[in-house]
Short mmCIF file of all heavy atoms in Angstrom, two decimals:
data_model
loop_
_atom_site.label_atom_id
_atom_site.label_comp_id
_atom_site.label_asym_id
_atom_site.label_seq_id
_atom_site.Cartn_x
_atom_site.Cartn_y
_atom_site.Cartn_z
N MET A 194 -14.25 37.09 4.28
CA MET A 194 -13.97 38.48 4.54
C MET A 194 -14.70 39.00 5.71
O MET A 194 -15.71 38.57 6.16
CB MET A 194 -14.01 39.37 3.39
CG MET A 194 -13.43 38.80 2.08
SD MET A 194 -11.79 38.23 2.12
CE MET A 194 -10.91 39.88 1.86
N SER A 195 -14.21 40.13 6.22
CA SER A 195 -14.89 40.80 7.38
C SER A 195 -16.32 41.34 6.95
O SER A 195 -16.40 41.83 5.83
CB SER A 195 -14.04 41.98 7.84
OG SER A 195 -14.81 42.90 8.60
N ALA A 198 -15.81 45.19 7.12
CA ALA A 198 -14.85 45.89 6.06
C ALA A 198 -14.38 44.76 5.22
O ALA A 198 -13.39 44.24 5.27
CB ALA A 198 -13.65 46.40 6.93
N PRO A 199 -15.30 44.54 4.17
CA PRO A 199 -15.09 43.27 3.26
C PRO A 199 -13.79 43.23 2.57
O PRO A 199 -13.61 42.30 1.83
CB PRO A 199 -16.34 43.27 2.47
CG PRO A 199 -16.96 44.64 2.49
CD PRO A 199 -16.44 45.26 3.81
N GLU A 200 -13.05 44.29 2.59
CA GLU A 200 -11.67 44.26 1.93
C GLU A 200 -10.65 43.48 2.77
O GLU A 200 -9.63 43.08 2.26
CB GLU A 200 -11.16 45.62 1.32
CG GLU A 200 -11.16 46.81 2.26
CD GLU A 200 -12.55 47.26 2.82
OE1 GLU A 200 -13.58 47.15 2.11
OE2 GLU A 200 -12.54 47.78 3.90
N VAL A 229 -21.84 45.18 5.93
CA VAL A 229 -21.66 46.24 4.87
C VAL A 229 -21.95 45.71 3.45
O VAL A 229 -21.48 44.65 3.15
CB VAL A 229 -20.16 46.79 4.94
CG1 VAL A 229 -19.86 47.67 3.76
CG2 VAL A 229 -20.04 47.65 6.24
N THR A 230 -22.70 46.46 2.72
CA THR A 230 -22.98 45.98 1.32
C THR A 230 -22.53 47.16 0.36
O THR A 230 -21.31 47.52 0.39
CB THR A 230 -24.43 45.62 1.07
OG1 THR A 230 -25.23 46.64 1.67
CG2 THR A 230 -24.75 44.29 1.78
N ASP A 231 -23.40 47.66 -0.44
CA ASP A 231 -23.14 48.77 -1.31
C ASP A 231 -24.47 49.50 -1.57
O ASP A 231 -25.46 49.09 -1.08
CB ASP A 231 -22.49 48.27 -2.54
CG ASP A 231 -23.30 47.16 -3.22
OD1 ASP A 231 -24.44 47.28 -3.52
OD2 ASP A 231 -22.65 46.03 -3.52
N ASP A 239 -19.54 39.98 -7.47
CA ASP A 239 -18.51 40.78 -8.28
C ASP A 239 -17.56 41.24 -7.16
O ASP A 239 -17.71 42.32 -6.52
CB ASP A 239 -19.27 41.94 -8.85
CG ASP A 239 -18.35 42.97 -9.61
OD1 ASP A 239 -17.09 42.85 -9.44
OD2 ASP A 239 -18.89 43.83 -10.31
N ARG A 240 -16.55 40.48 -6.99
CA ARG A 240 -15.56 40.70 -5.86
C ARG A 240 -14.94 42.10 -5.94
O ARG A 240 -14.79 42.72 -4.90
CB ARG A 240 -14.34 39.71 -6.00
CG ARG A 240 -14.53 38.48 -5.19
CD ARG A 240 -13.62 38.48 -3.93
NE ARG A 240 -14.52 38.40 -2.74
CZ ARG A 240 -14.55 37.26 -1.93
NH1 ARG A 240 -13.80 36.25 -2.07
NH2 ARG A 240 -15.34 37.28 -0.86
N GLU A 241 -14.71 42.60 -7.20
CA GLU A 241 -14.09 43.85 -7.41
C GLU A 241 -14.93 44.98 -6.92
O GLU A 241 -14.56 45.79 -6.05
CB GLU A 241 -13.80 44.02 -8.85
CG GLU A 241 -12.89 45.05 -9.31
CD GLU A 241 -11.38 44.73 -9.19
OE1 GLU A 241 -11.07 43.63 -8.58
OE2 GLU A 241 -10.65 45.53 -9.56
N ASN A 242 -16.17 45.11 -7.50
CA ASN A 242 -17.03 46.22 -7.27
C ASN A 242 -18.10 46.03 -6.19
O ASN A 242 -18.63 47.08 -5.69
CB ASN A 242 -17.71 46.60 -8.55
CG ASN A 242 -16.83 46.79 -9.68
OD1 ASN A 242 -15.88 47.65 -9.54
ND2 ASN A 242 -16.88 46.10 -10.79
N LYS A 243 -18.35 44.78 -5.69
CA LYS A 243 -19.32 44.52 -4.74
C LYS A 243 -18.75 43.59 -3.76
O LYS A 243 -19.22 42.44 -3.52
CB LYS A 243 -20.60 43.97 -5.37
CG LYS A 243 -21.24 44.91 -6.36
CD LYS A 243 -22.38 44.21 -7.11
CE LYS A 243 -23.61 43.91 -6.32
NZ LYS A 243 -24.40 45.07 -5.94
N PRO A 244 -17.66 43.97 -3.06
CA PRO A 244 -16.93 43.11 -2.07
C PRO A 244 -17.84 42.54 -0.98
O PRO A 244 -17.77 41.35 -0.63
CB PRO A 244 -15.79 43.88 -1.65
CG PRO A 244 -16.20 45.34 -1.80
CD PRO A 244 -16.98 45.35 -2.99
N GLY A 245 -18.74 43.37 -0.45
CA GLY A 245 -19.58 43.10 0.62
C GLY A 245 -20.54 41.90 0.26
O GLY A 245 -20.70 40.89 0.86
N VAL A 246 -21.30 42.32 -0.88
CA VAL A 246 -22.35 41.25 -1.25
C VAL A 246 -21.63 39.96 -1.78
O VAL A 246 -22.12 38.90 -1.45
CB VAL A 246 -23.13 41.95 -2.41
CG1 VAL A 246 -23.98 40.99 -3.16
CG2 VAL A 246 -23.98 43.11 -1.95
N SER A 247 -20.50 40.10 -2.42
CA SER A 247 -19.86 38.91 -2.87
C SER A 247 -19.42 37.97 -1.70
O SER A 247 -19.47 36.83 -1.77
CB SER A 247 -18.58 39.26 -3.71
OG SER A 247 -18.99 40.10 -4.79
N ASN A 248 -18.91 38.64 -0.63
CA ASN A 248 -18.58 37.94 0.62
C ASN A 248 -19.80 37.19 1.14
O ASN A 248 -19.67 36.02 1.50
CB ASN A 248 -17.93 38.87 1.59
CG ASN A 248 -17.34 38.19 2.84
OD1 ASN A 248 -16.78 37.06 2.72
ND2 ASN A 248 -17.58 38.72 3.96
N LEU A 249 -20.89 37.90 1.27
CA LEU A 249 -22.11 37.31 1.79
C LEU A 249 -22.54 36.09 0.86
O LEU A 249 -23.03 35.06 1.37
CB LEU A 249 -23.21 38.35 1.88
CG LEU A 249 -22.96 39.44 2.96
CD1 LEU A 249 -24.06 40.56 2.86
CD2 LEU A 249 -22.86 38.81 4.38
N LEU A 250 -22.44 36.25 -0.42
CA LEU A 250 -22.80 35.27 -1.33
C LEU A 250 -21.89 33.95 -1.12
O LEU A 250 -22.30 32.80 -1.13
CB LEU A 250 -22.71 35.64 -2.84
CG LEU A 250 -23.93 36.43 -3.33
CD1 LEU A 250 -23.62 37.06 -4.64
CD2 LEU A 250 -25.07 35.35 -3.46
N THR A 251 -20.54 34.25 -0.94
CA THR A 251 -19.66 33.15 -0.77
C THR A 251 -20.08 32.37 0.55
O THR A 251 -20.00 31.22 0.58
CB THR A 251 -18.24 33.71 -0.52
OG1 THR A 251 -17.95 34.51 -1.74
CG2 THR A 251 -17.24 32.61 -0.33
#
Side-chain angles (χ1 to χ4, degrees):
M194 314 304 279
S195 161
E200 48 298 330
V229 167
T230 48
D231 50 55
D239 179 350
R240 265 260 121 112
E241 191 84 352
N242 302 306
K243 297 167 75 68
V246 170
S247 302
N248 185 42
L249 292 174
L250 275 166
T251 303

